[in-house]
Amino acid sequence: AVVSTQSGHYGREEEAISEVSSIGETVKVYYEEMSRYFVTRGKCASKILKYPHLEDYTGYLLEWDETQFLHIRAIARELKMIYCFMFDIINKNFDKIKHPRSQNNTSLIY
């Protein structure tokens, strides 16, 4: 996209675009981590069902769940901050989003 220098906010617009791109990558990583957690948990649970007399699997699953709980709680806090940041960007630029400039005066909305 072409950025109009008439707005005088080129640096902030570029920074906001960079942040939004970074947020997208961060959320993607969190999604993949959650998928791996459930796959690993499922494999361990199947071992518990297959070998109920081995308590090591049960102990491992308990430790794994506790560790992942703490990690997921940290992710939830980070996502809260991300959504607050995105809300702030949208709120500050709502008029630009709702009424973008004409094609002749192309500008980014961030």
Side-chain angles (χ1 to χ4, degrees), residues 51-67:
Y51 307 106
H53 56 282
L54 295 176
E55 294 181 13
D56 289 344
Y57 287 119
T58 305
Y60 173 77
L61 185 61
L62 289 172
E63 287 180 29
W64 178 248
D65 283 345
E66 289 174 5
T67 302

Side-chain angles (χ1 to χ4, degrees), residues 6-7 9-10 13 15 21 26 31 36 39 41 49-51 53 57 61 65 73 76 78 87 99:
Q6 293 174 351
S7 66
H9 302 292
Y10 180 78
E13 291 168 347
E15 184 179 324
S21 296
T26 301
Y31 178 76
R36 279 193 302 271
V39 167
R41 190 177 196 293
L49 292 174
K50 190 173 182 179
Y51 307 106
H53 56 282
Y57 287 119
L61 185 61
D65 283 345
R73 186 171 63 178
E78 179 70 21
F87 179 77
H99 305 289

Side-chain angles (χ1 to χ4, degrees), residues 62-99:
L62 289 172
E63 287 180 29
W64 178 248
D65 283 345
E66 289 174 5
T67 302
Q68 290 304 305
F69 170 76
L70 297 174
H71 186 66
I72 291 168
R73 186 171 63 178
I75 289 173
R77 288 179 179 159
E78 179 70 21
L79 288 174
K80 176 184 166 190
M81 291 172 50
I82 287 170
Y83 287 125
C84 288
F85 176 76
M86 295 297 293
F87 179 77
D88 185 50
I89 287 176
I90 291 170
N91 243 3
K92 288 179 179 176
N93 296 289
F94 189 73
D95 289 335
K96 292 178 186 177
I97 294 169
K98 193 172 179 182
H99 305 289

Side-chain angles (χ1 to χ4, degrees), residues 16-41:
I17 290 171
S18 174
E19 283 291 325
V20 169
S21 296
S22 161
I23 287 169
E25 290 300 315
T26 301
V27 170
K28 182 179 175 183
V29 168
Y30 290 158
Y31 178 76
E32 290 169 356
E33 285 179 10
M34 290 302 301
S35 296
R36 279 193 302 271
Y37 163 67
F38 286 114
V39 167
T40 303
R41 190 177 196 293

